[in-house]
Amino acid sequence: MATKRMNILVYSGNGSTVESVRHCLYSLRRLLSPTYAVITVTDDAIIKEPWTASCALLVFPGGADLGYCRKLNGEGNRRISQYVERGGLYLGFCAGGYYGSKRCEFEVGNKKMEVVGNRELAFFPGTCRGCAFSGFVYHSEAGARATQIRVSKTALTKGSVPDVFRTYYNGGGVFVDAPKYRDKGVEVLADYTEKLDVDAGEGSASVVYCKVGDGAAVLTSTHPEFSAVNFDPDIDVPGFDKVVKALKEDEKQRADFLKACLRKLGLQVNEEQITIPSLSRLHLSSAVVSDTAQLLESLQDIITMQEGEEYIRDENDIFHLEKPSTWSLGPLAKALPSSTKENSEGEQDADAEDQDKIVDYDKLVKRLVVHDKDQPESKDTPYFNHQAFFANLKHYESQSRETDGTFGKNILYGEVVTSTNTLLEKYLPLNAPNPVKLTLSRNTQILRRLPTGFTATATVQVAGRGRGTNVWVSPAGSLMFSTVIRHPMSLMPQAPVVFLQYLAALAIVEGIKTYDRGYEHMPVRLKWPNDIFAADPSDPTGKTFVKIGGILVNSHYSTSEYLCVVGIGLNTTNASPTTSLNALHPPSPFTLEKLLARILTCFSVLYTRFVRTGFDGYFENLYYRHWLHSEQVVTLEAEGGVRARIKGLTTDWGLLRAEELGWEDRATGRVVTLQSDSNSFDFFKGLIKRKQ
């Protein structure tokens, strides 16, 4: 089996800066999504998690490379080097360029700023020396400039490539004697055109390409990932407005150069930059229309009035409540940032000049339309047919005696949302920039008042995330939803909350296979603990599986019960970034509304039974019927590299049960149990790695 490399990992650990990470995400997502998932990765994840198999490109942004060294010297750099040498790709901007060189020389002779020393990665076999231009000040634009570089069109041959252009510079170096390393696989992609303030040796290389084993690295001392639109020309730094003006004039050339560098690394790059869509209105409705009013009544104690308009101000988001007949723009204008306005369709847009800036979605007021008289019409939600969803929900419920009709009874839909999971319960991702500085934030006021089965769904997510260091790509065509479950503490002895992730996985696979007649043989499987895989339709042997879905369960204890949000993402009609259900040649194409209804009714049936029986033999047999791991032989890294054979799950706490193997893979009699939150499973390498 093999896995498709679909992740672009942007380092956000010690040494990186929040701004540099944001600029990387901003530019790379516009050039590489949805073919790739552009996400952040921490230093701990690089050292401890099995990230290499699915990583298409590892990116180190600007910051301070000493911070990178402190966390990654040794095991972290060993894994990065091995990844690149075995065919992986590395992209280093500024500090990431210093870090990827054999030697770093920064501000030599400056007692307060000097950094000198060898570096372990050594992709560029020489020295990166800086600052190329004097005047650098940490965490300031005082030394920033729009420096001109000349591009080598003999090295960059794909796409539209500029001859020269101006790009953002702030503290980068020069790759000393770069032309002398041609015989070691080094190509100069661009040179500085201006006189440098340090000795560059032969040439004046600002960007280099380095062949490393079966892989490659691009190191750049400037910042072609920084778009001028994200700079504030009015900050109190003399002359910075002229810098921004120059960068804006060369914006197209900047983007073309970055595209050419990515193509040089062999990545599939969008011809045009993709604009992240604006957030849309949210629509609250119910299978029985009168239930919407009852749900709203349960929220009355947290609804406040401001200038005659209703708002819910939760810990993370502000929601402006409105009725379909009273859509208006006035009150919201005062609540939004000055650069943001709303169009006639309810989407929150920036002014024309600022339309594609980095957006802090948490600061935007979310508009929530309450449909307490009728369900949303097609003109209100053209990409989701509420009537079809509720009709299919009723049809599937009529076929089962074990569903209480709560799952999907109330639904919150948005064409474009941040994340269905974070709307209900907001956690800042563990892999966000500088995570130790971030605080936990949730929409707990709303969550505490929502009933079991309440579901949020969307057509497009702009900030979806997955388990641990994973973020699931959420383009149009993915089925994305989150469902609330209030699990009583009294059920824990017989029905532990940890099994919800397994129930959700079963609901997805069962929902697909019982979607209609003829779907029972769809080649969809489970990977422990909570991933959905499908046979790769491009492999005629049927032996290759690719990920098409994932599950994220957030839960916390509150007043004798666990409040849980089960988030699910499933590629349904979209072909990128891996494959989708409709690419598996079903009898008829899946529709999002019908599939959502089927998965929710399956989830309802499974949860109702689970509450009554716990994870009994019925669930065990059902789970093993669909999973990929029966009798799989794996290596247990935390147990000294011993080999073991997967036997199943424990029925008390859902631990993975493995039987230790000895000589000639004979069972020793020792059984090891592994917890999903403490171990990561690299299925394709047969490796179970302990998280620390």
Side-chain angles (χ1 to χ4, degrees):
M1 288 189 177
T3 183
K4 182 178 180 180
R5 290 185 169 183
M6 56 168 278
N7 289 335
I8 307 292
L9 301 181
V10 178
Y11 177 77
S12 62
N14 191 44
S16 66
T17 67
V18 172
E19 284 304 308
S20 290
V21 171
R22 285 177 176 170
H23 279 279
C24 280
L25 296 175
Y26 172 90
S27 289
L28 294 177
R29 282 175 175 166
R30 281 156 177 73
L31 294 177
L32 298 173
S33 295
T35 304
Y36 305 95
V38 183
I39 61 181
T40 56
V41 62
T42 63
D43 36 49
D44 282 344
I46 285 178
I47 295 170
K48 300 169 185 176
E49 302 245 7
W51 54 272
T52 58
S54 60
C55 179
L57 173 69
L58 179 63
V59 182
F60 269 68
D65 99 310
L66 272 183
Y68 304 164
C69 294
R70 292 188 186 103
K71 292 297 292 189
L72 298 173
N73 274 357
E75 176 61 15
N77 286 335
R78 184 194 68 78
R79 299 188 78 195
I80 295 172
S81 295
Q82 186 181 77
Y83 157 73
V84 176
E85 288 169 358
R86 293 180 177 179
L89 304 173
Y90 176 98
L91 176 58
F93 296 110
C94 198
Y98 284 113
Y99 190 59
S101 301
K102 185 176 182 179
R103 183 172 175 81
C104 170
E105 294 182 3
F106 180 81
E107 289 295 288
V108 176
N110 185 331
K111 294 182 179 180
K112 292 184 178 180
M113 300 177 67
E114 180 179 279
V115 177
V116 178
N118 292 336
R119 296 293 181 260
E120 294 179 347
L121 295 180
F123 298 142
F124 175 66
T127 298
C128 185
R129 180 178 293 151
C131 296
F133 303 101
S134 60
F136 173 73
V137 179
Y138 277 110
H139 309 298
S140 170
E141 301 292 0
R145 62 195 293 159
T147 191
Q148 187 182 74
I149 62 175
R150 178 176 290 106
V151 180
S152 171
K153 290 192 173 183
T154 58
L156 295 175
T157 59
K158 297 180 179 179
S160 175
V161 182
D163 290 312
V164 295
F165 73 99
R166 289 164 292 182
T167 182
Y168 178 73
Y169 168 91
N170 199 357
V174 60
F175 298 98
V176 179
D177 290 326
K180 293 183 178 180
Y181 297 105
R182 291 189 190 94
D183 60 341
K184 294 187 177 181
V186 174
E187 298 179 54
V188 176
L189 303 186
D191 289 288
Y192 292 108
T193 63
E194 303 165 65
K195 185 179 183 300
L196 305 182
D197 294 330
V198 294
D199 182 7
E202 182 180 329
S204 56
S206 60
V207 187
V208 293
Y209 170 89
C210 309
K211 186 73 175 121
V212 185
D214 292 331
V218 167
L219 311 180
T220 170
S221 292
T222 61
H223 286 282
E225 81 284 16
F226 276 43
S227 173
V229 73
N230 292 311
F231 288 115
D232 180 4
D234 298 324
I235 64 172
D236 190 19
V237 174
F240 189 65
D241 57 334
K242 295 179 181 178
V243 171
V244 175
K245 182 176 183 293
L247 294 176
K248 285 185 177 180
E249 290 172 353
D250 286 5
E251 174 65 15
K252 181 181 184 302
Q253 293 92 324
R254 174 204 69 83
D256 286 343
F257 177 75
L258 182 56
K259 283 192 253 184
C261 289
L262 295 171
R263 290 190 177 107
K264 179 74 174 179
L265 289 168
L267 296 172
Q268 184 177 333
V269 182
N270 300 328
E271 289 299 325
E272 300 295 334
Q273 294 192 66
I274 293 177
T275 301
I276 303 300
S278 304
L279 299 186
S280 64
R281 281 188 174 96
L282 302 170
H283 296 266
L284 179 65
S285 61
S286 303
V288 178
V289 174
S290 60
D291 289 344
T292 305
Q294 295 178 18
L295 180 61
L296 191 63
E297 182 64 29
S298 69
L299 302 174
Q300 282 301 316
D301 61 326
I302 58 172
I303 295 176
T304 60
M305 297 292 293
Q306 180 179 336
E307 297 183 3
E309 300 289 330
E310 294 182 320
Y311 292 87
I312 296 177
R313 302 178 185 276
D314 216 324
E315 295 174 44
N316 185 75
D317 292 309
I318 299 175
F319 298 89
H320 175 212
L321 276 60
E322 56 184 27
K323 301 294 179 65
S325 59
T326 60
W327 290 0
S328 63
L329 305 181
L332 184 62
K334 300 179 181 179
L336 292 175
S338 58
S339 63
T340 307
K341 63 183 180 180
E342 184 148 326
N343 63 29
S344 61
E345 298 301 320
E347 295 177 341
Q348 295 173 6
D349 289 337
D351 294 329
E353 183 180 349
D354 301 330
Q355 189 167 2
D356 202 23
K357 280 188 174 182
I358 295 173
V359 177
D360 185 349
Y361 292 107
D362 291 343
K363 292 183 179 179
L364 295 179
V365 175
K366 281 72 178 177
R367 305 197 73 177
L368 198 162
V369 183
V370 180
H371 294 266
D372 56 355
K373 302 299 183 184
D374 51 26
Q375 293 167 354
E377 298 179 10
S378 295
K379 66 180 179 63
D380 301 326
T381 60
Y383 295 98
F384 187 84
N385 188 321
H386 284 75
Q387 286 74 25
F389 166 73
F390 286 122
N392 280 295
L393 190 71
K394 182 178 180 180
H395 167 71
Y396 287 130
E397 287 174 347
S398 69
Q399 296 179 341
S400 174
R401 291 177 296 178
E402 277 206 272
T403 177
D404 59 6
T406 58
F407 282 58
K409 173 184 175 181
N410 307 115
I411 190 169
L412 179 68
Y413 167 77
E415 182 179 328
V416 182
V417 304
T418 51
S419 163
T420 60
N421 193 282
T422 56
L423 283 173
L424 298 183
E425 179 172 31
K426 173 69 177 179
Y427 285 86
L428 287 171
L430 299 176
N431 55 357
N434 301 316
V436 295
K437 298 180 181 178
L438 300 178
T439 57
L440 199 62
S441 174
R442 304 170 184 160
N443 286 320
T444 53
Q445 295 299 314
I446 294 176
L447 180 62
R448 290 182 187 134
R449 292 162 175 80
L450 295 178
T452 288
F454 181 94
T455 296
T457 188
T459 297
V460 175
Q461 283 185 167
V462 295
R465 77 183 182 91
R467 180 174 177 265
T469 60
N470 298 317
V471 174
W472 189 242
V473 183
S474 307
S478 292
L479 176 60
M480 300 163 284
F481 67 97
S482 296
T483 298
V484 175
I485 294 180
R486 310 178 71 100
H487 193 71
M489 183 66 179
S490 60
L491 295 175
M492 286 296 286
Q494 72 177 47
V497 71
V498 69
F499 282 102
L500 287 183
Q501 61 185 329
Y502 302 138
L503 298 185
L506 285 172
I508 295 171
V509 176
E510 285 288 298
I512 292 169
K513 291 178 177 288
T514 62
Y515 179 83
D516 212 331
R517 292 180 181 178
Y519 290 77
E520 58 273 9
H521 298 300
M522 291 290 293
V524 179
R525 308 288 290 277
L526 305 177
K527 183 180 87 69
W528 181 82
N530 47 20
D531 286 332
I532 310 300
F533 275 64
D536 187 342
S538 66
D539 180 7
T541 68
K543 295 180 179 180
T544 302
F545 282 80
V546 293
K547 181 177 177 180
I548 63 165
I551 301 160
L552 176 67
V553 181
N554 285 326
S555 64
H556 67 277
Y557 182 73
S558 175
T559 317
S560 75
E561 65 180 356
Y562 283 94
L563 294 178
C564 307
V565 178
V566 182
I568 291 171
L570 182 66
N571 282 355
T572 306
T573 66
N574 55 300
S576 294
T578 56
T579 190
S580 67
L581 291 176
N582 280 351
L584 303 178
H585 309 296
S588 294
F590 287 92
T591 65
L592 297 178
E593 295 89 346
K594 185 175 178 179
L595 183 58
L596 175 60
R598 188 58 187 138
I599 292 175
L600 286 174
T601 51
C602 287
F603 203 171
S604 179
V605 169
L606 292 169
Y607 181 70
T608 300
R609 181 187 176 99
F610 172 67
V611 166
R612 188 177 72 253
T613 68
F615 202 81
D616 60 4
Y618 168 82
F619 283 107
E620 276 194 282
N621 293 332
L622 188 61
Y623 194 84
Y624 298 152
R625 186 191 311 163
H626 296 311
W627 81 338
L628 287 163
H629 309 299
S630 294
E631 300 296 311
Q632 182 184 359
V633 175
V634 298
T635 299
L636 305 180
E637 187 174 276
E639 300 292 329
V642 302
R643 288 166 63 81
R645 179 174 284 111
I646 301 298
K647 303 302 291 184
L649 302 174
T650 66
T651 56
D652 50 1
W653 295 106
L655 306 180
L656 188 68
R657 186 162 46 89
E659 182 180 57
E660 185 184 61
L661 301 177
W663 184 66
E664 293 186 343
D665 281 351
R666 295 180 180 178
T668 66
R670 177 173 175 249
V671 175
V672 180
T673 55
L674 304 163
Q675 186 176 348
S676 63
D677 287 339
S678 301
N679 297 273
S680 54
F681 196 165
D682 190 341
F683 171 71
F684 302 101
K685 290 187 177 179
L687 175 68
I688 296 182
K689 182 177 175 66
R690 176 67 54 86
K691 295 180 181 177
Q692 312 234 348

